[in-house]
Amino acid sequence: MENISKEIESKDIKMKNFFEIVKIVIYSTIGIIIFFIPVTVDNQTKTILHHIAYRLQVNYRGLLQLCTIIYITIGIIKSLLVNHKSNLKKIYSYFSIFSIFIVINIFYDKYSIVLLDDNISLILEETILNLITLLPLSAIFITFILDFGLLDIVEAYCHKSMKKLFNLSGKSVLNIIMYIFNDYFCGYFMTNLLYKKGRIRQREACTILLNFSIASISISNYISEELNLNKINFFILSIFILFLVNTILCRMYPINKKKKSYYIKTSYKESYFKNDKLINSIKKHIQNKEDINVFKSIIRNFEESIHIIISVIPNLVLIMYLGNIIINNMDIVYNLKFIFSYILEILRFNNIDEISRFLINGFLNDVIAIDILNKNIGYTSKLLIGIICVLKCTSITTNILYLQITNIPINKIEFLASYILRIILILLISYIIFYLYNIYTI
């Protein structure tokens, strides 16, 4: 009887493991297809996530606009009810009411808002609509990426190389390609979730946010088309410089000052398998898996995405509005250009004024900086600007804005220091590449 009981128990374990493997395959496949597989629909090649977001924006634009105004209103009320310690934050909370009128003007064109360019209005409208569609959609489906074994499988295959190159765990590859294939905010959302769940260390979260939140494929395509660049050369050169720059910056300030500890303690442990990586990674997931209800996880992530939208949109609107005023003030931009003009002069780049102005404007927003750029400059200067735009990883309207609602400890000084160091390294490496290319072609 005892042998029969053990046989039954063994069969139950095997059957349970079989169903777990089926779940890994099905759920991971859903996540990969939704986030990372480009599909062509109506002559547009995008991920399924982007196709769904696009259809929502086309078919339910009025509803999305109404939701945006509701979100802004809730965000402002929430901000006004908070007992701010700083008088400046109190003043800003009251000033944020102005963001409602700006958005109404953009959506319905009923009111005239001074000092807001038409191009900025269009960029702001598109940014808001992308935010309120892509972020909730990614929150709905991201549980298939994070919770059902895909992280463990990717970590098993990529851990060794990622650790040597960038001091990151192998699972970070999924987060990086989330930025590349989707959107800034989808990537930030995933980074923060990984950190909050104790899957990546503080240093890793800061590294990803500062060094790998690169422009998505859609933005990169936009940049190459706007600047009339050869896409293949542009992408290859960008990837090569990305590896070199990040290999260095991952070992410098402010990354090297961050803790190697997790946000919370869990049973999760990093692991590297020399043999049978797939089998061992699946076994690891089954042994350490949590009892996760898919629907509860989806609802929880969706709620968090709405909380982020409510907090982010009023700030985004005001930053874009105030940034537009600053950009149009040539004295302010001229006085800030010296930060990069000196090194551009040393390296003997052409079009120094245009590149310096782009670097200042790009710190606010990439699309705005490209939109107001003088496109009649030399090809090398445009190629350099395109590379910087893809790789600079930092702007006020993206990760600095998102910082306020994350648990990731990066302050604004560290963002600024990282941005300046990053630009200097990109300029130096680009100069060497261009110099060697000119010698070779002579």
Side-chain angles (χ1 to χ4, degrees):
M1 291 295 290
E2 187 178 343
N3 290 335
I4 294 173
S5 177
K6 286 182 178 179
E7 282 184 25
I8 293 172
E9 187 177 342
S10 177
K11 287 180 180 179
D12 288 341
I13 292 171
K14 288 181 179 179
M15 187 60 68
K16 186 178 179 180
N17 288 344
F18 172 76
F19 284 120
E20 287 297 330
I21 293 171
V22 170
K23 282 171 64 177
I24 290 171
V25 172
I26 293 174
Y27 289 149
S28 297
T29 302
I30 291 171
I32 291 168
I33 291 172
I34 292 292
F35 286 104
F36 307 131
I37 304 298
V39 177
T40 302
V41 178
D42 296 333
N43 295 322
Q44 292 184 321
T45 304
K46 303 176 181 178
T47 61
I48 291 177
L49 190 77
H50 275 83
H51 282 299
I52 298 171
Y54 176 75
R55 287 299 173 191
L56 288 173
Q57 292 175 23
V58 171
N59 298 329
Y60 301 99
R61 197 175 193 84
L63 179 61
L64 292 174
Q65 291 173 342
L66 178 62
C67 287
T68 301
I69 294 170
I70 293 171
Y71 291 150
I72 293 175
T73 305
I74 294 171
I76 291 170
I77 293 171
K78 183 181 175 182
S79 179
L80 291 172
L81 292 175
V82 173
N83 185 20
H84 296 290
K85 296 179 181 180
S86 168
N87 289 328
L88 185 61
K89 288 186 177 180
K90 287 181 181 178
I91 295 170
Y92 182 81
S93 295
Y94 287 108
F95 185 65
S96 63
I97 297 172
F98 188 52
S99 63
I100 296 178
F101 298 103
I102 296 175
V103 171
I104 290 174
N105 171 71
I106 292 171
F107 285 164
Y108 305 110
D109 199 24
K110 290 185 178 180
Y111 304 99
S112 178
I113 304 296
V114 295
L115 303 176
L116 187 66
D117 295 344
D118 290 340
N119 286 342
I120 304 297
S121 298
L122 290 171
I123 292 169
L124 184 54
E125 180 179 17
E126 185 176 349
T127 303
I128 290 171
L129 290 175
N130 282 335
L131 178 60
I132 66 171
T133 51
L134 280 172
L135 186 57
L137 284 171
S138 67
I140 289 171
F141 294 108
I142 204 166
T143 187
F144 300 117
I145 296 291
L146 300 184
D147 299 327
F148 296 100
L150 187 59
L151 284 176
D152 296 295
I153 294 170
V154 172
E155 182 177 62
Y157 284 95
C158 302
H159 188 73
K160 187 177 180 180
S161 56
M162 290 297 287
K163 207 71 177 177
K164 285 184 177 179
L165 285 171
F166 309 117
N167 286 331
L168 291 172
S169 59
K171 71 182 80 65
S172 301
V173 170
L174 277 175
N175 197 179
I176 293 166
I177 63 175
M178 180 67 77
Y179 287 101
I180 296 171
F181 279 89
N182 293 284
D183 179 76
Y184 286 123
F185 287 101
C186 297
Y188 301 144
F189 186 75
M190 182 173 175
T191 304
N192 196 40
L193 276 184
L194 286 170
Y195 181 57
K196 281 175 62 178
K197 291 185 174 185
R199 295 298 184 92
I200 57 176
R201 294 179 169 88
Q202 182 185 115
R203 182 173 291 188
E204 290 179 289
C206 294
T207 300
I208 294 169
L209 201 65
L210 290 174
N211 294 343
F212 285 97
S213 52
I214 63 177
S216 65
I217 289 176
S218 58
I219 296 295
S220 300
N221 279 327
Y222 169 80
I223 293 166
S224 62
E225 289 171 3
E226 284 290 305
L227 300 181
N228 196 24
L229 302 174
N230 182 299
K231 287 187 179 181
I232 295 175
N233 294 338
F234 173 53
F235 290 140
I236 291 174
L237 196 56
S238 297
I239 292 169
F240 178 71
I241 294 175
L242 172 74
F243 271 81
L244 290 179
V245 170
N246 283 353
T247 302
I248 297 169
L249 288 179
C250 290
R251 294 163 174 83
M252 291 178 62
Y253 175 85
I255 301 297
N256 61 1
K257 298 297 182 183
K258 297 301 176 182
K259 297 177 182 178
K260 294 183 179 181
S261 57
Y262 291 98
Y263 182 68
I264 57 172
K265 289 185 178 180
T266 65
S267 59
Y268 180 83
K269 291 182 180 179
E270 290 180 0
S271 54
Y272 167 68
F273 306 107
K274 291 184 178 180
N275 301 308
D276 299 324
K277 296 180 187 294
L278 181 61
I279 294 172
N280 285 321
S281 59
I282 290 174
K283 285 181 178 178
K284 176 193 169 186
H285 169 71
I286 292 172
Q287 289 170 1
N288 298 287
K289 75 178 184 67
E290 300 173 3
D291 188 17
I292 295 172
N293 184 300
V294 177
F295 298 105
K296 286 183 179 179
S297 180
I298 287 172
I299 292 170
R300 185 169 58 250
N301 291 336
F302 181 78
E303 287 176 347
E304 184 166 348
S305 71
I306 298 301
H307 169 73
I308 292 168
I309 290 170
I310 288 170
S311 302
V312 164
I313 290 182
N315 293 333
L316 175 64
V317 173
L318 290 180
I319 289 170
M320 294 278 272
Y321 177 74
L322 296 172
N324 179 56
I325 296 173
I326 293 171
I327 286 173
N328 288 330
N329 189 322
M330 296 307 297
D331 290 335
I332 296 175
V333 176
Y334 180 80
N335 290 330
L336 290 173
K337 283 196 304 181
F338 81 91
I339 298 173
F340 299 107
S341 294
Y342 185 67
I343 188 171
L344 288 166
E345 288 176 4
I346 292 174
L347 298 176
R348 297 181 181 179
F349 280 110
N350 297 322
N351 308 115
I352 291 174
D353 283 345
E354 287 298 329
I355 297 172
S356 300
R357 193 178 299 115
F358 168 80
L359 290 171
I360 300 303
N361 295 337
F363 189 65
L364 171 69
N365 183 272
D366 295 330
V367 178
I368 292 175
I370 290 291
D371 189 58
I372 64 177
L373 178 71
N374 176 14
K375 309 298 192 304
N376 295 321
I377 57 178
Y379 184 84
T380 302
S381 298
K382 289 194 289 186
L383 181 60
L384 176 63
I385 287 171
I387 291 167
I388 292 170
C389 197
V390 171
L391 302 184
K392 67 186 185 63
C393 296
T394 299
S395 75
I396 296 173
T397 56
T398 55
N399 49 9
I400 296 178
L401 175 64
Y402 192 85
L403 172 70
Q404 300 176 26
I405 43 144
T406 68
N407 305 94
I408 302 170
I410 308 174
N411 60 48
K412 294 178 178 63
I413 300 298
E414 290 171 337
F415 263 120
L416 182 60
S418 175
Y419 178 74
I420 293 173
L421 286 171
R422 189 172 193 81
I423 295 301
I424 290 172
L425 270 176
I426 292 172
L427 291 175
L428 288 172
I429 293 171
S430 299
Y431 169 77
I432 294 169
I433 292 171
F434 294 156
Y435 179 76
L436 293 174
Y437 176 78
N438 289 332
I439 291 176
Y440 179 76
T441 54
I442 290 175

